[in-house]
Amino acid sequence: MKHWDPKKYMPMVAELGVGWIRDEVLWSQIEQSKGEYRMRWQDMEWINLAKENNIKVILTVAGGSHFYGDDYFDPDGYAALCAYLAEELKGKVQVLEVQNEPFNHYSSHYGEGTQKGGDWYGLRHGTLNVEGWVDHYRVTLNKAADAVKAVNPEMKVIGLGSFPAINYRQIEAGLSPNVDGIVAHPYSYRVVPEIIPYKDNEKTIVKNGNRRVTDEDGTFASFVEMQMDFSAKHHGPDEMWLTEWGYTNFRERWDGDPDRWGGNYWGFNEYAVAVYAQRRFVEGLGLGVEVSVYYSLLDDNYNQDDRIRAESNSENHFGLITKDDEKKPVFGAIQKVATLMNGFTVSDELSYQIEKGKPRLDSTPVHWWSGSTLEALDAIRSYQFKDADGSTVIALWSMERVGDRSARAANVSVDLPFEGTEVEVIDLMNGKTYSPYTEDRDGQLYLPSFAVPSHVVLLRLSR
């Protein structure tokens, strides 16, 4: 975070038109003696600037403390810290997130988690034994939420933030009613944003606790819907917060070994990153996700003494802005979602049908390490909204990978009278508008061979 200069970059965040940002503070930097707390000026600087720019804040409270004996993440000590923050930051921070990805550094303190022989399912590798950190974190989340609400009922508390099987175990074990939202980080890694790598097979279904966490295609939509349904059945939170996901545009590195393991990510070109970011944001809005946060604002700066390693480090290329302060295409893509779809609400009052044309198959399906095959679906995704003026807007796109083909054709029929209905298409990638070709089909509106690209277009219908 040494290159995070809020005076320099907060105006760029405001320029995006987004409503939220997420960043973290560290427990050890706030509680410098037991029971005595003080916010650092560096943290207050960006928090205050966010407020000045009317940007809401998700504050991730990360790390641990050596003041509480052997337990670096003592639940009572952590809850007391969160209570201090809830009171100190009233009116400036709207949400506290309890730790970041606890399956990682949090669990490793206990010799468990993905860094210490655990897996994506909360199990000790090679067994069906649930690791102890899973419940330790759940207890900490509950205590933190109760402590925050006792001093600041308006501040929301969100948590979990692990892979879905782990989240399910913790929801099933019981969450405090003061926990407002489920955190998830649904990276798609190597595939399109409508697919995530939690598709079940014979091996993973058992590890998932003999339950599925996505549909048979591994869709992002099912991931959200199934997790929220599960939470409702177990009296858990009714909000989904996607506080981290994104795509990286690093370039591949070749060392002569065709079998070299390249990590979870593929590097995508900058245009593909922009397209996929828009598709994920729009789908999240259509699914009723509370808040969706792209990772990240700035590229990282690892391995700067070795150009090839720096360019091939996936962590260095998630940003909207390069280390040289150049805005990538994804910056403008997110800006258009935030501005052109501002005020949109989910709607289902209008009936419509989309008949897709010739197939668009995934030529590069991914054979994931869990044994599942992940591929873009040959389908058109669509969601219906009402805009700020009350007009119906259908957002739609082809779920294919970004490629070199022109937009696919689809026949779209809409349950609206042909006469008197105004139709406009907004291209969400470039912001341009046009009037599509329409026909009268038995008095109803019909759009034959409507162009559906791999990026989002908005079909606006008004009378």
Side-chain angles (χ1 to χ4, degrees):
M1 295 173 62
K2 291 180 180 179
H3 61 297
W4 161 233
D5 180 351
K7 289 182 180 178
K8 180 178 182 180
Y9 293 110
M10 197 65 75
M12 293 188 184
V13 177
E15 183 184 345
L16 278 167
V18 299
W20 292 84
I21 59 171
R22 171 188 184 247
D23 212 328
E24 70 178 9
V25 293
L26 298 179
W27 183 354
S28 61
Q29 293 176 343
I30 299 171
E31 186 178 15
Q32 297 189 9
S33 60
K34 188 172 183 178
E36 298 293 328
Y37 309 99
R38 187 177 65 181
M39 288 289 293
R40 299 190 312 159
W41 70 265
Q42 297 97 322
D43 295 322
M44 290 309 305
E45 181 181 34
W46 70 261
I47 290 172
N48 287 331
L49 282 170
K51 180 176 174 58
E52 289 176 18
N53 284 278
N54 297 313
I55 299 168
K56 296 179 181 178
V57 173
I58 302 168
L59 188 67
T60 304
V61 185
S65 172
H66 292 291
F67 295 135
Y68 296 88
D70 294 333
D71 195 347
Y72 187 60
F73 296 108
D74 178 77
D76 293 316
Y78 186 87
L81 168 72
C82 289
Y84 160 78
L85 292 171
E87 200 154 27
E88 179 72 12
L89 300 175
K90 281 182 181 178
K92 296 182 178 181
V93 169
Q94 289 71 35
V95 177
L96 289 188
E97 180 178 349
V98 176
Q99 296 288 350
N100 173 60
E101 297 184 347
F103 61 85
N104 200 337
H105 297 294
Y106 181 95
S107 59
S108 68
H109 174 72
Y110 304 101
E112 299 178 327
T114 54
Q115 292 188 357
K116 302 288 184 178
D119 60 22
W120 285 26
Y121 310 96
L123 306 175
R124 196 67 183 169
H125 186 65
T127 76
L128 295 179
N129 299 321
V130 178
E131 294 185 312
W133 76 265
V134 173
D135 202 60
H136 187 282
Y137 173 84
R138 181 188 66 88
V139 170
T140 300
L141 172 60
N142 287 342
K143 289 191 173 187
D146 294 344
V148 167
K149 297 295 186 180
V151 298
N152 186 354
E154 301 302 313
M155 180 175 279
K156 289 193 174 186
V157 180
I158 60 177
L160 301 186
S162 292
F163 302 109
I166 301 173
N167 282 4
Y168 274 56
R169 297 182 197 280
Q170 293 165 327
I171 293 168
E172 186 175 42
L175 297 180
S176 166
N178 288 319
V179 178
D180 296 287
I182 297 169
V183 171
H185 291 177
Y187 285 89
S188 289
Y189 298 106
R190 306 182 200 172
V191 287
V192 295
E194 298 80 23
I195 302 296
I196 53 178
Y198 308 120
K199 179 179 176 181
D200 290 311
N201 54 46
E202 291 182 2
K203 181 173 68 173
T204 60
I205 190 69
V206 174
K207 291 186 174 184
N208 276 335
N210 292 315
R211 54 191 165 220
R212 295 186 180 276
V213 296
T214 70
D215 60 17
E216 61 182 10
D217 294 316
T219 63
F220 168 72
S222 67
F223 162 81
V224 172
E225 292 165 348
M226 291 170 68
Q227 196 155 177
M228 296 316 298
D229 288 346
F230 186 84
S231 185
K233 291 176 183 177
H234 292 85
H235 311 289
D238 60 1
E239 296 175 2
M240 174 69 82
W241 291 67
L242 308 181
T243 63
E244 188 178 312
W245 58 268
Y247 281 88
T248 172
N249 63 290
F250 75 99
R251 71 177 181 89
E252 292 182 358
R253 178 183 175 192
W254 171 245
D255 61 5
D257 181 1
D259 298 319
R260 187 179 70 85
W261 173 246
N264 290 329
Y265 296 98
W266 277 357
F268 292 91
N269 65 59
E270 290 188 347
Y271 176 72
V273 170
V275 170
Y276 294 158
Q278 281 195 343
R279 281 161 54 170
R280 170 60 63 80
F281 272 119
V282 173
E283 184 160 35
L285 183 62
L287 292 169
V289 167
E290 193 72 18
V291 171
S292 189
V293 181
Y294 189 86
Y295 179 83
S296 63
L297 178 65
L298 305 174
D299 278 349
D300 283 329
N301 287 307
Y302 298 114
N303 311 124
Q304 291 306 302
D305 59 337
D306 185 329
R307 179 176 173 181
I308 292 179
R309 289 182 64 202
E311 293 178 356
S312 61
N313 186 325
S314 63
E315 293 295 330
N316 279 354
H317 301 279
F318 278 99
L320 308 182
I321 302 168
T322 71
K323 62 183 180 63
D324 298 319
D325 297 334
E326 294 182 4
K327 297 172 184 174
K328 301 180 189 178
V330 66
F331 185 100
I334 292 175
Q335 185 182 50
K336 286 183 175 62
V337 174
T339 54
L340 296 178
M341 299 187 70
N342 185 33
F344 278 34
T345 56
V346 177
S347 174
D348 63 357
E349 67 178 46
L350 187 64
S351 176
Y352 64 93
Q353 295 79 41
I354 301 174
E355 179 188 9
K356 65 183 175 66
K358 294 181 179 179
R360 293 289 179 95
L361 303 178
D362 190 347
S363 60
T364 54
V366 172
H367 302 292
W368 195 243
W369 55 261
S370 64
S372 299
T373 298
L374 310 174
E375 57 188 332
L377 301 182
D378 177 26
I380 292 172
R381 184 70 93 206
S382 68
Y383 291 92
Q384 183 181 165
F385 303 95
K386 285 287 187 181
D387 68 11
D389 296 326
S391 297
T392 295
V393 179
I394 300 171
L396 66 167
W397 64 94
S398 177
M399 293 168 63
E400 64 193 283
R401 288 187 183 273
V402 170
D404 57 2
R405 300 185 68 181
S406 62
R408 75 188 300 174
N411 296 329
V412 181
S413 54
V414 185
D415 187 21
L416 277 174
F418 178 78
E419 293 294 337
T421 299
E422 295 182 3
V423 185
E424 179 184 56
V425 177
I426 305 168
D427 187 305
L428 200 58
M429 185 54 60
N430 60 30
K432 295 180 179 180
T433 63
Y434 69 92
S435 298
Y437 176 76
T438 59
E439 288 183 0
D440 186 332
R441 179 70 62 94
D442 298 326
Q444 298 293 95
L445 182 65
Y446 185 67
L447 291 80
S449 293
F450 180 73
V452 183
S454 60
H455 62 269
V456 180
V457 293
L458 305 177
L459 182 63
R460 187 173 186 269
L461 307 163
S462 57
R463 292 185 55 77

